[in-house]
Amino acid sequence: MRIVCASLVLTATLVVQIPSDAAGPRMAPVPENQRTDEQRSIAAKFASSGIPNAVATYLNHPALADHILPYEHYASSDSTLPPRHRALVGLRTAWLTRSNYLWAHRAAESRRVGFTNEDLGRVAQGPDAKGWDGFEAVVLRAADELHVDSFVSDATWQALSARYDTNQVVDLIDAV
């Protein structure tokens, strides 16, 4: 039996990414000198997020920004996943979605938790690349399965569940 996994998908990176044939972002980030007091307050609260363009773009809709940015912070910085696994999932998802913006931010963040250039290259190659420990390959495979089919196979689920508690499995699914 397959366990179907649904996940909330953040679209901030899709809004701020610049398609190769576009002249610029579809929705411009709110410039600092044009922000309202409310927007400045939200920007200050999430300045440490490491995604200034996404934050500035969300400022176009302050009510949404005030609700979604705490979630983004949790998913990228405070989830129950170990920092290295969080980085693996974020990088692999950025690679699979071809998000240069996310890749750049996640790669910089991953270096802070010990990733090397070789690690980054292996993320692009995927879970079957030589050099991953067995569980890191499982984490990457879960990201691939969720990206391609929106579910985690029984074998991957069992491997995840053998090491992760329920909260960690949910955090991994949601991070993808």
Side-chain angles (χ1 to χ4, degrees):
M1 176 172 119
R2 292 183 184 208
I3 299 176
V4 179
C5 303
S7 178
L8 174 64
V9 178
L10 289 176
T11 58
T13 57
L14 297 176
V15 173
V16 296
Q17 277 184 268
I18 302 173
S20 59
D21 61 342
R26 292 179 176 163
M27 182 180 299
V30 178
E32 285 187 45
N33 64 351
Q34 295 176 17
R35 294 178 184 171
T36 66
D37 288 343
E38 179 184 26
Q39 290 169 324
R40 278 192 291 280
S41 174
I42 293 168
K45 193 178 349 177
F46 298 102
S48 67
S49 70
I51 53 170
N53 288 341
V55 171
T57 300
Y58 269 123
L59 294 179
N60 284 290
H61 191 336
L64 177 62
D66 206 31
H67 287 86
I68 200 86
L69 290 171
Y71 164 79
E72 187 287 325
H73 179 78
Y74 172 82
S76 66
S77 303
D78 293 336
S79 77
T80 60
L81 297 178
R84 183 170 171 88
H85 294 175
R86 190 181 311 125
L88 279 173
V89 171
L91 284 165
R92 187 62 180 163
T93 301
W95 180 262
L96 293 170
T97 60
R98 298 181 178 147
S99 174
N100 294 334
Y101 178 81
L102 254 186
W103 178 268
H105 287 283
R106 300 294 186 230
E109 183 179 309
S110 72
R111 290 185 186 287
R112 287 189 282 277
V113 296
F115 273 64
T116 64
N117 288 338
E118 293 77 25
D119 291 331
L120 295 174
R122 281 199 321 270
V123 168
Q125 293 171 11
D128 296 322
K130 297 209 182 308
W132 295 124
D133 77 27
F135 193 71
E136 288 178 340
V138 168
V139 168
L140 290 165
R141 185 160 286 106
D144 284 10
E145 291 175 359
L146 286 163
H147 175 75
V148 172
D149 295 321
S150 299
F151 71 86
V152 175
S153 69
D154 287 343
T156 302
W157 187 270
Q158 288 172 353
L160 288 171
S161 298
R163 181 150 166 196
Y164 279 172
D165 64 25
T166 301
N167 291 342
Q168 290 172 304
V169 173
V170 170
D171 279 346
L172 181 141
I173 292 165
D174 203 54
V176 173

